[in-house]
Amino acid sequence: MISSRMRLFLGAVLAIAGLLAMRSALGGAFIFDDYSLLALPRFFDNPLLPFWHEHVEGGLHYRPLGLTFWWFSQHLFGANPLPHYLLNAGLLAASVIALWRLLTRISGSEMLAFVIALGFAVHPVAIGTAAWLSNRFELLAAIFGLLALGQAWQFRLTRNRSSLVASLSLFAIALCAKENAVALISAAFIFWWWPVSSPIAWFRRDQWACLWLVALIVLWLLVREVVLDSRGAEILFNYKSAAALFKDGMTAWTIKLASYASLVPRLGWTTGVMFLLGVVGVLGLIVQSLRSCWSTHRVAALLAGLSVIAVAAIVQWPRTGLVLMNLNFGADAFMDVLAARYYFMAAVGFAIVLAVLLVRPALAGSRRRSAWLPALVALLVCIPLFSVSQHIVRSYRGQTIAQNEMANAAVDAIAKLDLPVANCQIHLLGTQNLQFGFYADPAVKALSADLSRVANCYVQTENAPWYYLVNASEVARSKQPPFTPARLGEDAILPILLGRGALVFVNLPPDARPDLGPGSFFLEWKDNAFVDIGDAVRSGQRKVEFACFRPASQCP
């Protein structure tokens, strides 16, 4: 048992280790969904609105806690990226410390739990997840889910009603952060269902507590059904059938898990040898630990960890079937960061399994002379993990800066325009950057100092953005040329009204002709700046042609 002062010190070490591993990202900027999540809260005044109103495009996700969190961070920090990155680092630290306390309860060894949590804190999966600001949903779900799982373990041991209530309440909050909190709920189910003592009795009265978890998930699904437009989920099935998405998602997740686990594509010779020796050392400690007694508690914890891994993979299949099939770990550090979130909750499950398998290693022994080997093993594993994390977030930072420079240049150029109150349309031409093109509109709405100037404007490149964020009064214009509503089969994707604003889904078909009236502006990317070329477009010297990069079923 360690002192409270030592416990505080170890908690600080975990937080600092994660911050140091993530430090290369701190000079980065916003990218992709970051702009949308930064712009959305500027359109509504009540931070709790997302709890009872659809707020994410596509009708697939109900994540009100995360967007509420973005509302507060946007109002506190504005469009300054550094405090947003520091906030994500703080959320990662909180999730790591929650993991440490859970593993301590399961293993009975604070030092063993600390070492595993340290490895998690500097692992590329955790650092990559925290580095992309949009993954705040994942971090919040992990924090509250791990706290809930700790209470669930306490309820297994004591059957104390306060632990039951605390566990269910925290799980409800975690589900409002992200749906993959279901993976941790599955672990709690095993905690409460698996027999506590020997001889084993498989049908017991205390197993009825598991029904509270089932009821919680059913209630959450009912709320989702009421709040979300179920038709929106069909967007994914325009790419592939549900069966194909599931098959491809599970196949890709399983095959590419090895790359995230071994890190081979990102390891140099020195760090590669270190990591290999560390893994061999861990396996040796596991073999030593397997000889110890397997209580019903230990078996329950092992099965719970495996359940977290499996459910975390399954619950994400609608996305992994599209994203991971196109990911080649090690080929692009930027994509490594973006895909890390698909393995984050599974990494939590792996940490639980590892704590169970190492429940009586030499590290937990009382003799000091036997502690040097596990400590060396921990260093051999953590140093390569730290090195790889540094590399991928450094590359990621460069990508965010490049996109943000273009976004800031657009904001600077638009600030010089005399924008109309209504019928405002801004074309950003010649960017040749799909990353910027899909998010041009929310990027401008996120970074503009005065949202009221641009809130009525539709901002697009030659490639229609993923969606537009405009004042609710401008929704009707999405049905007028040059726009064509994005479609799902025969039906148009309906706008989502949120506070004073709306998410509007439209296409700019290749044969569309831009409005040349006084409310339209044309800015072209030249020499790292946007230059007004409105006169050239209106005179016919510069032609504007659009492209649709969505599935054929959604393009006119």
Side-chain angles (χ1 to χ4, degrees), residues 22-61:
M22 189 178 162
R23 75 182 191 278
S24 292
L26 298 183
F30 306 107
I31 199 166
F32 286 169
D33 293 339
D34 297 345
Y35 292 114
S36 304
L37 294 169
L38 199 63
L40 260 176
R42 305 184 75 183
F43 284 89
F44 58 92
D45 300 317
N46 185 348
L48 300 180
L49 182 62
F51 280 88
W52 59 81
H53 204 291
E54 187 170 12
H55 51 271
V56 179
E57 81 282 3
L60 185 64
H61 303 305

Side-chain angles (χ1 to χ4, degrees), residues 75-353:
H75 281 71
L76 287 172
F77 311 136
N80 182 1
L82 178 58
H84 286 277
Y85 276 97
L86 291 175
L87 177 58
N88 267 37
L91 293 175
L92 174 62
S95 65
V96 170
I97 291 172
L99 176 64
W100 173 38
R101 302 320 302 161
L102 172 66
L103 298 183
T104 296
R105 290 185 174 189
I106 290 174
S107 68
S109 170
E110 290 196 272
M111 289 308 299
L112 169 62
F114 169 79
V115 170
I116 295 174
L118 179 63
F120 182 89
V122 300
H123 196 287
V125 165
I127 297 301
T129 299
W132 189 13
L133 297 176
S134 297
N135 287 331
R136 204 166 285 173
F137 303 95
E138 196 91 32
L139 299 173
L140 288 169
I143 292 169
F144 290 104
L146 287 168
L147 291 174
L149 200 54
Q151 290 297 317
W153 181 261
Q154 187 68 18
F155 180 72
R156 171 182 170 82
L157 300 179
T158 65
R159 296 295 162 175
N160 188 305
R161 285 188 178 181
S162 62
S163 295
L164 173 64
V165 172
S167 179
L168 293 172
S169 301
L170 289 166
F171 274 135
I173 297 173
L175 283 171
C176 288
K178 192 170 183 179
E179 58 279 352
N180 65 354
V182 171
L184 297 177
I185 294 178
S186 74
F189 190 98
I190 292 176
F191 284 171
W192 297 352
W193 181 81
W194 196 260
V196 174
S197 59
S198 297
I200 293 175
W202 294 105
F203 300 100
R204 311 177 318 277
R205 183 178 179 181
D206 56 13
Q207 288 176 328
W208 286 99
C210 295
L211 294 179
W212 287 108
L213 297 171
V214 176
L216 176 63
I217 293 176
V218 170
L219 177 61
W220 172 69
L221 290 172
L222 289 174
V223 172
R224 277 173 55 102
E225 182 66 23
V226 170
V227 173
L228 302 186
D229 179 4
S230 59
R231 291 187 309 151
E234 299 172 8
I235 291 177
L236 288 173
F237 305 139
N238 279 276
Y239 294 88
K240 298 179 181 179
S241 68
L245 274 177
F246 183 81
K247 176 185 175 182
D248 290 348
M250 292 300 93
T251 300
W253 191 94
T254 304
I255 291 174
K256 292 168 184 184
L257 172 65
S259 296
Y260 273 99
S262 67
L263 312 177
V264 171
R266 292 290 178 199
L267 290 171
W269 280 104
T270 302
T271 52
V273 171
M274 289 178 63
F275 190 70
L276 178 61
L277 292 174
V279 170
V280 171
V282 170
L283 293 176
L285 293 174
I286 290 175
V287 171
Q288 176 186 347
S289 175
L290 289 176
R291 301 172 184 172
S292 58
C293 176
W294 281 82
S295 66
T296 56
H297 293 317
R298 191 179 181 188
V299 173
L302 176 63
L303 294 176
L306 293 173
S307 176
V308 171
I309 296 172
V311 176
I314 293 172
V315 76
Q316 299 176 117
W317 67 267
R319 293 292 189 189
T320 54
L322 294 174
V323 177
L324 291 183
M325 284 297 293
N326 302 312
L327 172 69
N328 182 14
F329 182 82
D332 186 343
F334 175 70
M335 293 303 297
D336 295 342
V337 171
L338 296 187
R341 70 191 187 277
Y342 293 111
Y343 294 97
F344 183 82
M345 202 62 80
V348 171
F350 181 76
I352 295 173
V353 170

Side-chain angles (χ1 to χ4, degrees), residues 426-429 431 436-438 440 459-465 508 546:
I426 302 172
H427 302 269
L428 303 175
L429 308 175
T431 62
F436 174 74
F438 282 144
V459 183
Q460 71 272 319
T461 62
E462 290 97 329
N463 308 302
L508 288 166
F546 300 109

